[in-house]
Amino acid sequence: MRRSWSAVVGGVVVASMLVLGACSRDPASVRELAAERALADSLVRGFTPSDPESLARLVTAAREKTKKFLTNHRDDVPAAVIYVKLRLAQEALTPHEAPVDSAGMPLDHFSRAAISKVRVTDCLERLDHAIKREPKNADLYYWKSLVHGLFEPIFDKLALDPKRSQLPQAVVAAGMAVSLVPDSASYRTALATYQMLTGDDERVA
C-alpha cells in the first residue's frame, strides 16, 4: 500500500518528537556539565598532572561551576557525584598548612580529624540528598564511603571510637554499595579496606 507524502512527513515529525522527548528526560548535567564530568572522571582514573597548581585552579573552577549548577538543579544526581569527585580532588590538590593551636603546637589527631570533617561536610550533604532521590544507586554509597574514609581512625584504649571516627559509617556505606552491586571490585576493595582498618579482619569482604 502506498503511503502519502504527508503521512511520511507526519511519521518523521512524531519520531523526532519522541527522540527529543527521550533526550529531555536525561539529567541536565549530561549536557551542561560534560567538560566537568570528563575532568572528574579523568582524575578518578588516575590522571597525573605535570602542573599540579594549574590543575588545582582548573578543578576549583569546575567545582564552582558544578556548585552553581546544583543551585538550580538540586535533584540532579549525576551532578552531585561530579561535585563530590571534584571536591575531593580539590582537597587533595590544595596544600594545607599543618594546623596548630593558640600556642603554636601541632594539633592532635582528634582536632585534625574534626577540621577535615568540616572541610568536606558539603560532600556528605550532597550525597545524602542524592541517595534520597536514588536509594538503589550503588555509586552514591561508594562515594559516601570514600568521604567517610578520608578521616583518621580514632581509637580509645586500642578500640575504635565510633563517636569520633567515621570508619563505622564508611563500612556501612561501602557495605550498601556491595549489597547493591556484589561483583564490583572497587566497592569490595573499599569495604575490605575499611573492615581491616576497624580491626574486623574476620568479616573482610
Side-chain angles (χ1 to χ4, degrees), residues 97-114:
E97 293 184 7
V100 295
D101 61 18
S102 58
M105 299 297 293
L107 295 180
D108 59 28
H109 63 288
F110 302 108
S111 301
R112 290 197 305 271

Side-chain angles (χ1 to χ4, degrees), residues 175-192:
M176 282 296 299
V178 169
S179 69
L180 290 167
V181 184
D183 59 348
S184 170
S186 297
Y187 301 168
R188 297 190 72 86
T189 297
L191 178 58

Side-chain angles (χ1 to χ4, degrees), residues 76-97:
D76 192 307
V77 171
V81 176
I82 294 170
Y83 179 86
V84 171
K85 291 178 180 179
L86 291 171
R87 181 68 188 86
L88 296 185
Q90 180 188 28
E91 184 71 13
L93 290 166
T94 304
H96 296 290
E97 293 184 7

